[in-house]
Amino acid sequence: MPVSRFKCLLSATLAVTLAPGCGEKQTTAAPDQIADTVYTGGRIYTANDNRDFAEAFAVKGDEIIFAGSKAGAAAFIGETTKKVDLEGRLVLPGIHDVHIHPVMSMDVDTCTIDKRAMTLAELVGFVSGCIARTTPAPGDWVYIELWEFERGNQPDAQYPTIRAALDAAAPENPVVMEGTDGHHYAANSLALATARNAAGETVGLSAETLATEFADLAQYVGVDDTGEPNGKLTESHIYNRLAVEGIAVAELHKRLAHPEKLMDVTLPRGITGFLDAAARPATLPVYDALLDQGKFYARARIALYLDPSAYRLSDGGTDFHAMITEAQRLRAHYEDSPLVRANFLKLFADGVIEGDPLSVPPTLPNAAFSRDYLQPLFEWDEAAHSVKVTGYVDLGSALCTDARAGLAKGEIDAAAFIAENGFHPAQCIKSNGVLQDPEDVEIGYVKAGDAAGFTFLIHAIGDRAVKTALDAIETARAENGTSTRHTITHLQVVRPENIGRFAPLGIYTSFTFAWAVVDRPYDLSVIPFIDRVDGPGGIYDEDGYYWRNAYPAASLQRAGAVVVAGSDAPVDTRDPRPFVNIEGAVTRSIGDPLPLNTNEAISLFDAVDAYTINAARSTRQDAFSGSIEPGKKADFIIVDQDIFALADAGGADQISETNVLQTWFGGKLVYEKE
């Protein structure tokens, strides 16, 4: 690709001449404009408005002072200028990850499953080994992180449920395993026994309390065929009812002891800017420690997570004033920091869209959906070592109508019903998921935060949650008279009629593209609850609602919305893996020959911009970062392969193999690959 013409930084100290035979402005630098370093001999993607490539760029202090041709860069070279030959390498602006949980991604000493799929029998061995290594006293809590909830967990005769497995592994300690997504948990009997009701009384989780004290949260608790909790929990609403405070304190202390490990999350992946997507106030001292040490190398924005359910008033309302007052206090703490701003708020519009085929009855997804979830009949396929769908429950049948009435009255004998009909009576229940908080609470919080000058990052998975998030932003902007550009993140399923609402509202659309792909074990926990998969089209039916509307990045872009990208690490993996996500955005396939609806793939330029200039815009940092242009901070990375040339040659499926060789922040080398 020929090098386009570039704008140079001009000032009263520069004498401008026009080089003969070309249209590019040639500069002769005054002494105080001599560059510290000039980079040539590579391919430099500027991410400017024209998406230009440069032959060279120059850095002075912490800023870029030139980007353009090699001949143009010569004017900025003086006796003290260091000249760097890039040796054909690709240079990109520093990555901006606009959905990451960096504190929880820190690699500290924990018992971590690290996303390995295990049978329940194998989990027993892992957890008991962790206890033997860490030697907790009887009664001490045991925390296991990065549990792979989507794969494995196969029961057997000895361990029919994950609760039974954890009971066997830890007979003297309450155990909690946190899933790779931060929304799924598993607990043993000692942990379940610590559950507290709304009044703060310890009553435990059981079939009885699920019908009484926790009736409003029962949808978040997996049960066995007797109605007793099977050990699987979903969402923090129920997790926080356990006596887990000590776990949070212990995990935070591990991170406070080694704050430098936060930079180990970002810099090796070329991340020089990020949005902490759900920062609890207790985690902020990790930032403060690094800032005090002068070792924080990122331009960070923090989305403060304040749980509306913790601000309930006695009359059932929500104390938005108290929430905003706390957020303003935390925002003020960083108002003088050149690197960190706590000017975002996080809102969870809903939960997650995975069900659990291995539970009896299968646990339904809880993401807020526009229609009732289906009730698949699953069967274990020993040969495939997986579940398969054998049919569906007819929710409109007289049998199910009677079953729902009987369940409501507590008059159903589950064992007898299963023996007669072949499925659990609870599979007659209709559900379209739930919003994380009532709709009026979500809209009220967005109105209050928007009025106070905060930007929202709204988690929305199901299509009904997406609509609620859009409604909240639309209401806030209309009633407050504001024009803040908020972000909705995840967007796993979006109804077609809502696609055109994003651009007029100025909403940034944030995706984790590594998930916008076919993932067969994962997809079995989602798609059968949305589309019938027992027909000729199977699970990947191109006419299916999920296939057509999952992660609709290209549709949103065509409708004028701006696409940005983030990893959501440590969800799925501690590694933010930007180039894996870029590959997923372009190919809609990572490791599987079948892509997920290529109509929603975006170009490589779009994907890179989603991680650079557009991401910087979404966090309001584009005035000084996000691209390689004069006047911006010298935040850039050097990588080991030219992903643009790779894609042009048909090798887009190799983008994920890209390694960052160097990360530069404010003109300073802050990471170099060994």
Side-chain angles (χ1 to χ4, degrees):
M1 178 184 293
V3 177
S4 302
R5 290 178 297 144
F6 289 86
K7 296 177 181 178
C8 300
L9 180 65
L10 304 178
S11 71
T13 61
L14 295 182
V16 181
T17 60
L18 193 63
C22 75
E24 183 181 58
K25 289 182 178 180
Q26 185 73 26
T27 64
T28 302
D32 62 348
Q33 289 294 313
I34 296 299
D36 296 329
T37 311
V38 168
Y39 296 84
T40 60
R43 197 176 187 205
I44 300 142
Y45 179 61
T46 64
N48 67 7
D49 289 344
N50 296 322
R51 292 178 164 175
D52 287 318
F53 286 87
E55 292 179 327
F57 69 105
V59 173
K60 183 176 181 62
D62 65 350
E63 288 191 357
I64 297 164
I65 60 173
F66 172 84
S69 69
K70 184 177 180 180
F76 295 86
I77 298 175
E79 293 182 3
T80 61
T81 301
K82 180 180 179 181
K83 292 172 281 188
V84 175
D85 183 353
L86 293 167
E87 299 179 344
R89 301 295 191 190
L90 176 68
V91 176
L92 297 171
I95 296 291
H96 283 249
D97 188 323
V98 293
H99 192 137
I100 187 172
H101 307 277
V103 175
M104 297 314 297
S105 298
M106 293 166 65
D107 187 8
V108 295
D109 184 19
T110 61
C111 287
T112 177
I113 291 176
D114 202 20
K115 199 177 165 59
R116 286 169 289 169
M118 299 182 186
T119 65
L120 293 187
E122 290 169 336
L123 273 173
V124 171
F126 177 86
V127 175
S128 59
C130 171
I131 290 173
R133 179 173 68 84
T134 58
T135 64
D140 285 354
W141 281 82
V142 174
Y143 171 69
I144 313 288
E145 68 170 359
L146 295 180
W147 163 51
E148 176 53 278
F149 69 95
E150 300 166 2
R151 299 168 179 80
N153 305 298
Q154 298 94 339
D156 57 30
Q158 187 174 6
Y159 308 115
T161 65
I162 201 162
R163 174 181 180 174
L166 295 178
D167 284 349
E172 297 183 329
N173 299 91
V175 174
V176 164
M177 298 198 303
E178 183 168 357
T180 55
D181 67 344
H183 292 267
H184 290 84
Y185 305 89
N188 67 352
S189 295
L190 289 175
L192 296 173
T194 70
R196 296 164 295 201
N197 63 16
E201 302 162 334
T202 300
V203 295
L205 276 176
S206 65
E208 179 182 353
T209 59
L210 285 176
T212 54
E213 307 275 5
F214 299 108
D216 59 328
L217 299 177
Q219 62 216 342
Y220 300 114
V221 181
V223 296
D224 61 22
D225 56 8
T226 70
E228 290 292 335
N230 64 7
K232 290 187 177 181
L233 310 173
T234 308
E235 302 302 345
S236 59
H237 281 333
I238 191 67
Y239 171 76
N240 289 337
R241 291 294 185 91
L242 306 182
V244 294
E245 296 86 355
I247 291 176
V249 171
E251 291 303 304
L252 181 58
H253 282 170
K254 292 175 183 177
R255 288 158 174 80
L256 283 171
H258 297 283
E260 72 282 355
K261 288 182 177 289
L262 191 147
M263 294 292 93
D264 293 339
V265 174
T266 57
L267 298 180
R269 294 298 176 260
I271 296 170
T272 59
F274 63 79
L275 174 62
D276 185 331
R280 296 179 184 272
T283 65
L284 299 182
V286 177
Y287 288 94
D288 295 342
L290 278 177
L291 289 168
D292 289 345
Q293 296 170 16
K295 295 181 179 179
F296 189 75
Y297 307 120
R299 307 189 195 280
R301 298 294 179 261
I302 294 174
L304 301 165
Y305 176 55
L306 304 174
D307 186 351
S309 68
Y311 290 83
R312 293 276 163 80
L313 296 168
S314 57
D315 63 2
T318 302
D319 193 344
F320 297 126
H321 175 73
M323 295 181 75
I324 298 304
T325 298
E326 173 65 1
Q328 289 171 326
R329 181 186 70 81
L330 295 168
R331 179 171 63 183
H333 179 70
Y334 294 103
E335 63 185 1
D336 295 326
S337 172
L339 299 178
V340 178
R341 289 282 189 275
N343 53 358
F344 278 70
L345 294 174
K346 177 63 173 283
L347 172 66
F348 288 91
D350 66 347
V352 290
I353 205 166
E354 301 87 30
D356 182 8
L358 292 176
S359 291
V360 180
T363 306
L364 291 175
N366 66 63
F369 215 61
S370 59
R371 60 189 187 189
D372 289 335
Y373 288 109
L374 304 178
Q375 288 278 9
L377 296 172
F378 292 101
E379 181 180 288
W380 181 254
D381 185 338
E382 187 59 42
H385 212 55
S386 177
V387 295
K388 63 180 180 181
V389 176
T390 60
Y392 282 83
V393 174
D394 183 356
L395 295 176
S397 66
L399 174 65
C400 271
T401 300
D402 292 342
R404 286 191 292 272
L407 287 167
K409 298 176 182 177
E411 297 175 351
I412 290 281
D413 183 329
F417 188 97
I418 293 171
E420 182 175 353
N421 300 292
F423 63 90
H424 196 285
Q427 284 202 263
C428 285
I429 291 174
K430 294 181 178 181
S431 172
N432 62 355
V434 290
L435 295 170
Q436 188 85 336
D437 295 284
E439 184 174 2
D440 63 328
V441 173
E442 295 188 357
I443 292 176
Y445 186 31
V446 173
K447 283 170 55 179
D450 177 81
F454 286 94
T455 303
F456 272 91
L457 176 69
I458 304 178
H459 161 121
I461 295 282
D463 56 12
R464 181 159 58 93
V466 173
K467 180 182 181 301
T468 300
L470 288 164
D471 291 345
I473 293 171
E474 185 175 59
T475 300
R477 285 167 61 109
E479 295 190 12
N480 296 335
T482 53
S483 58
T484 301
R485 301 191 65 180
H486 303 284
T487 297
I488 302 178
T489 187
H490 295 312
L491 300 165
Q492 189 161 353
V493 185
V494 183
R495 289 190 66 79
E497 61 265 29
N498 287 320
I499 293 289
R501 296 182 63 191
F502 288 81
L505 292 171
I507 296 170
Y508 290 101
T509 59
S510 174
F511 291 94
T512 298
F513 285 107
W515 304 337
V517 300
V518 167
D519 182 340
R520 294 173 192 266
Y522 171 82
D523 293 341
L524 272 170
S525 72
V526 176
I527 299 176
F529 295 99
I530 296 172
D531 293 307
R532 291 198 64 134
V533 303
D534 56 344
I539 191 169
Y540 299 118
D541 184 350
E542 295 186 8
D543 291 325
Y545 183 77
Y546 186 83
W547 181 277
R548 289 183 285 110
N549 299 295
Y551 301 108
S555 291
L556 285 162
Q557 197 168 256
R558 286 191 291 267
V562 178
V563 171
V564 298
S567 65
D568 208 5
V571 175
D572 216 16
T573 169
R574 279 198 180 112
D575 184 351
R577 57 184 186 179
F579 293 98
V580 173
N581 278 286
I582 289 171
E583 180 178 313
V586 174
T587 66
R588 302 282 287 198
S589 175
I590 298 173
D592 194 288
L594 179 67
L596 177 66
N597 189 2
T598 54
N599 292 328
E600 296 299 343
I602 61 177
S603 75
L604 179 55
F605 282 94
D606 292 331
V608 173
D609 285 359
Y611 257 125
T612 54
I613 187 59
N614 287 340
R617 288 184 178 123
S618 74
T619 54
R620 299 199 296 278
Q621 300 188 76
D622 54 303
F624 49 84
S625 66
S627 60
I628 297 176
E629 297 183 87
K632 292 200 175 183
K633 298 297 183 183
D635 303 343
F636 60 91
I637 62 176
I638 303 172
V639 298
D640 66 350
Q641 58 178 355
D642 185 339
I643 59 176
F644 295 96
L646 198 64
D648 287 345
D653 60 346
Q654 300 171 48
I655 292 172
S656 59
E657 299 171 15
T658 304
N659 293 296
V660 174
L661 300 177
Q662 292 182 346
T663 300
W664 291 77
F665 180 76
K668 179 179 179 180
L669 180 63
V670 290
Y671 167 79
E672 186 165 25
K673 184 176 175 61
E674 293 182 1

